[in-house]
Amino acid sequence: IQSSFGTSGKFRMHFPQGTTVRNGEKLFLRFKRYANDPDKKIRQDSVLPPARPGTRIESEPKKSKKIKDVVNESSIPVENLQLSQGPIQGKISNTKGEPMANGLYEVVIVEGFFTPEIDIRQKVGMKVQLKGTNIKGSIVGSFGKAGKCKVKLSGGISNEMVGSEVILFDK
């Protein structure tokens, strides 16, 4: 490549050994980029870059199945699944509404208890508790269509507690 030619991405080329391509004909330049090349260079020759040792990436251990992985039909009561599958856990994904006078939020959004197929209106009143605390509450309604629900907590929580785990209990 000798120089650029105009502003449209064209450039002048010089072939010391000559070429059979004439003005107006297509000229194909083939380049290669090798996956194991640490420099990520574009090459025109067929010389492979030196191999470098790879690193093995360990897969994460399988997590225990949540209720959304187990339930395929909304006709199975969640209460019966809880007794056979252990406690149902969810996670606080966000706070809802304005904070109370003490700066804490009384209503939070919880995900992971239900699948989108389950009618959460039938689950209103079910008791919940923040894992590792004495903060308790109950389901007050659904939130959107993705299986999330609104939970009212006694006393409220701060924004820093978003992401905390919540346990669902029978009525």
Side-chain angles (χ1 to χ4, degrees):
I1 299 177
Q2 284 185 323
S3 63
S4 61
F5 183 76
T7 59
S8 63
K10 296 179 182 178
F11 49 89
R12 293 180 202 264
M13 302 213 41
H14 172 70
F15 297 96
Q17 297 172 346
T19 181
T20 59
V21 179
R22 300 289 165 225
N23 285 342
E25 294 181 347
K26 291 184 179 182
L27 172 67
F28 295 96
L29 302 173
R30 302 197 188 266
F31 294 93
K32 299 175 186 174
R33 178 175 282 160
Y34 297 101
N36 65 342
D37 185 5
D39 298 330
K40 302 292 183 206
K41 290 182 178 178
I42 297 176
R43 301 173 185 266
Q44 263 189 306
D45 56 18
S46 59
V47 177
L48 293 173
R52 61 181 182 166
T55 56
R56 183 175 176 86
I57 300 174
E58 295 293 328
S59 61
E60 294 181 17
K62 291 186 178 180
K63 296 179 181 177
S64 61
K65 290 186 177 181
K66 292 185 180 179
I67 189 68
K68 63 183 176 185
D69 297 325
V70 176
V71 177
N72 291 329
E73 300 178 19
S74 60
S75 61
I76 302 173
V78 175
E79 294 84 357
N80 292 348
L81 284 173
Q82 180 178 357
L83 295 175
S84 62
Q85 298 292 326
I88 300 171
Q89 294 187 2
K91 185 175 83 170
I92 298 175
S93 64
N94 209 345
T95 55
K96 178 86 172 134
E98 295 295 319
M100 299 183 293
N102 60 3
L104 301 178
Y105 292 86
E106 189 176 36
V107 179
V108 296
I109 307 303
V110 177
E111 61 185 6
F113 284 159
F114 309 109
T115 61
E117 296 84 25
I118 294 177
D119 185 7
I120 297 176
R121 291 177 292 186
Q122 296 175 355
K123 310 303 178 190
V124 170
M126 290 183 75
K127 304 296 179 196
V128 301
Q129 180 176 353
L130 261 69
K131 189 173 184 178
T133 69
N134 287 330
I135 301 174
K136 296 181 180 180
S138 62
I139 296 176
V140 293
S142 63
F143 183 78
K145 296 182 179 182
K148 295 181 181 181
C149 61
K150 289 188 274 189
V151 173
K152 186 174 183 178
L153 299 171
S154 60
I157 64 162
S158 64
N159 263 337
E160 289 80 30
M161 294 187 77
V162 171
S164 300
E165 291 187 4
V166 184
I167 301 171
L168 177 65
F169 295 100
D170 287 332
K171 283 187 177 181

